Amino acid sequence: MLEHQLIQSTGFRNIGPVGARTGFAVRIRIPNYHGTRLSQLDGFTVTVDGEVFPFEHNRLGIRDEVYTLAELREETSARWGLLEWGEILVDKPGGLAAGIHKVEVLARIRYSYFPPDVHVFPMHEARLATLCMA
Amino acid sequence: MLEHQLIQSTGFRNIGPVGARTGFAVRIRIPNYHGTRLSQLDGFTVTVDGEVFPFEHNRLGIRDEVYTLAELREETSARWGLLEWGEILVDKPGGLAAGIHKVEVLARIRYSYFPPDVHVFPMHEARLATLCMA
Amino acid sequence: MGSLKYGVSVYSYVNDFGSVMTLEDAFDHIADTGATGIEILGEGQVEGYPEPSAAWLDTWFGLVDRYKLEPTNMCSWIDTRVTLTRNLTVEEGAADLAQDLRLAHRLGFKFLRPKFGVTSHELDPDPQWEAYVERNLDLAHQLGVVICPEIHAPTPIKHRVTDAYIAFIERTGTKNFGLMIDTGIFQDRPLTHWGSHQINDEMRQHMAFLNGIAVPPEQFLEIAQYVVFIQAKFHDIDDSLEDLNIPWRPVMSAILRSGYSGWLSSEYEGLRSPWRAIDQVRRQQVLLRKLEAEYEAGLLA
Amino acid sequence: MGSLKYGVSVYSYVNDFGSVMTLEDAFDHIADTGATGIEILGEGQVEGYPEPSAAWLDTWFGLVDRYKLEPTNMCSWIDTRVTLTRNLTVEEGAADLAQDLRLAHRLGFKFLRPKFGVTSHELDPDPQWEAYVERNLDLAHQLGVVICPEIHAPTPIKHRVTDAYIAFIERTGTKNFGLMIDTGIFQDRPLTHWGSHQINDEMRQHMAFLNGIAVPPEQFLEIAQYVVFIQAKFHDIDDSLEDLNIPWRPVMSAILRSGYSGWLSSEYEGLRSPWRAIDQVRRQQVLLRKLEAEYEAGLLA
Ligand SMILES: [Mn+2]
Ligand SMILES: [Mn+2]
């Protein structure tokens, strides 16, 4: 089961080898009320303790695949199911320090049934989350 | 999955044939933090809209069995697992009206590791609950 | 008693679904309200959509059987703007609709609600909708499924969108296309919450429909002959069983006087605090049945 | 690095377990903290206790394997006052303990914490405890399981209850019986919540231990040789990573200076609002590891 909120407690972690971290991951549930074709997602901006990591550079990990923004935008077959979590993968050499961080996610979802000029819908959530292993 | 609270929304229902209801049921999760031998439960007092239905007369339904208080007190083999719901079965000819009711449950649990004179631990919860079918 | 059929949409439990509730739990919650129908989001409740596994299908039919719930409507979406740089072609959109029709049929649903992309702030559907649907009318007929786009706020009943759907029905004479009414169009008092957020003044300015577009319930009678499904949208029913947004007495009166005898499918869309929807749906089921009983007793004008 | 082993008790998630969390979720939450051990309540996490099905056992071993968590301690209870009119006999109590030892061993646990019935307001265990345990020492030895009753507030370290357990160890010379320390005994500031309830003055009067019995951490050194397991009980770690109730700096210092090299198993027992425990456990794991690192760097006296 997923946590009710967008940003999950578990899965907030550094990535890359211990001592040579390459970045971090934020686990989220799908920022939508239904499963979604990946091309309908237009990336995720992540902010940690005020430092902004823009959506253009972050990747999405879902099941065993990782997508860059360019790949996501063109992925019209693969889908993100309502019961699955995904993780936003963020480059940050050295990773984050162990401890409590303020984490914000701005997910950009596209709805064809919103008017074209506002069809990228920003969904924002913020929380304190704890990263366990430096 | 069960609701977090003791008294569940679903399962609050009249029992007996439509038009000749014999009483009602209140579904609860186990009033304990671990699974429990049934003999450690000493009955459930139910109050609906201020009307008290004392624990001596109510029955406990668990899985496919129903226990009177006397049976419960002597049942040293059967157990109530942490993931299972039970229902308190209450006699009330005619049943309850469809609609929103204030429902209170006072569960009496016995803990051998509490001092003998206070070893019946009363756990009380109250909520508004909706009975759907008269 | 009663001519209406009562169902519940699993959308009512969104946010809870997958966090505090499994699919089986949803069946249990719905069946215990006394409802006999279940509505789902295809890409939502169907694991592995659009091609669920055999194991999932077994689970589905097992639940339908065990909880004695009839599949009513399946919701789907047509992702018109499929990428940032191109739209679906007519062929692709029609193929997606066909895929959903087949899936709905396979799961036992009799209605399919596709949500089309729109082209304007008045939510005019992409003109391709007509081709998507027309190419699928034979398939829908073979499968016994009725395609029903949703009349949803801020689009009212008297509007060119509704008119165009009705014109299509008249032109084709089809029985496999009809209107779905979302009762949110009758909302006549402001919402206080949107999802898990309290609505503030800025949100109200940008989304005036949050205050309700207040379609007069009598207008339902004028289009009732085209209505095949009703989603009983609501947001908040208080502890006295009063709905704070939807005027159910005139709405139910109009629905019942029209002779509509299809599904009324509870669609809760209020505050998304965990577990709240479960009891809100129970309240609505009681409220709607009570009003139907009053109508039958001659107490509801 | 470090001599301590970090685990988490699934009891930390009680109330959430079965409502917002499955057993697999608990494994996931625990493994992601960096902990390598899992502690459970036998009659709690084991479906079908005391005789889980073959299917459940497959699930259990699959999870242990997948999440690479080592089973640490299993908690059990001896229902001394088995009915209102009679107590367990020595034979029955010993049989229940044997049953739990076998189950713990079968699931891969190395420690079993039985909770005995008590006879007084000072929580003296029923004198039969000694016979229950003594009859099972050979079995525990064969199975490689250590039986460890819990020293839990309001019982302090310097107390006849602790003394009696130590005397038993000395008398029998057993390696299969030892002390479990629940760090709630070191609590030196009042709790604000008990379960899902805010604590009021009346509760404080009746349950003075809610304010903390404040055992001096240095006393741990006096009994450390008998301690086989530590439940790292805690209630509230704030947004600055400060524990509001347990003085971890002197507690960790004492534990580390004693040379204890066993498990520290997180046991959250604070406010039971849904999902809160997940992050609280993460905070504690960070806090304890940070203090161990400070100790190793010579920064923790
Ligand atoms: Mn709707
Ligand atoms: Mn403990």
Side-chain angles (χ1 to χ4, degrees), chain C residues 262-277:
Chain C
W263 292 100
L264 258 186
S265 186
S266 292
E267 197 185 40
Y268 173 71
E269 201 177 46
L271 177 63
R272 296 292 176 198
S273 69
W275 298 286
R276 186 175 201 267

Side-chain angles (χ1 to χ4, degrees), chain A residues 1-5 9-13 27 85 98-100 127-133, chain D residues 20-22 25 28-29 32-34 237-241 275 278-279 282-283 285-286 289:
Chain A
M1 311 297 283
L2 297 160
E3 275 179 83
H4 211 261
Q5 60 195 318
S9 303
T10 289
F12 178 41
R13 61 189 182 91
R27 187 188 292 185
W85 49 261
I100 303 169
R127 63 166 291 180
L128 292 177
T130 306
L131 187 132
C132 292
M133 306 294 278
Chain D
V20 305
M21 192 186 292
T22 64
D25 295 330
D28 187 25
H29 292 309
D32 197 65
T33 66
I237 296 177
D238 74 9
D239 298 347
S240 310
L241 209 66
W275 298 286
I278 301 170
D279 191 56
R282 294 173 73 85
R283 292 180 179 193
Q285 289 277 325
V286 171
R289 284 204 198 86

Side-chain angles (χ1 to χ4, degrees), chain A residues 37 79, chain C residues 49-51 74 76-79 88-107 112-114 116 129 131-145 147:
Chain A
R37 195 176 232 147
R79 294 168 180 274
Chain C
Y49 172 93
E51 286 165 22
M74 185 178 108
S76 73
W77 292 263
I78 304 221
D79 294 328
L88 288 180
T89 63
V90 167
E91 288 69 24
E92 288 172 323
D96 280 359
L97 182 56
Q99 175 175 263
D100 284 325
L101 278 167
R102 289 201 173 88
L103 177 60
H105 170 69
R106 190 170 183 194
L107 302 181
L112 176 77
R113 188 235 56 191
F116 306 122
W129 75 264
Y132 300 158
V133 174
E134 197 151 2
R135 289 176 185 220
N136 277 294
L137 284 181
D138 287 347
L139 178 63
H141 180 71
Q142 285 161 30
L143 301 176
V145 174
I147 301 166

Side-chain angles (χ1 to χ4, degrees), chain B residues 41-64:
Chain B
L41 296 162
D42 202 51
F44 306 87
T45 291
V46 175
T47 305
V48 177
D49 303 327
E51 186 179 358
V52 180
F53 301 91
F55 72 96
E56 291 90 341
H57 303 116
N58 301 329
R59 299 176 302 288
L60 178 71
I62 174 111
R63 295 175 301 261
D64 296 322

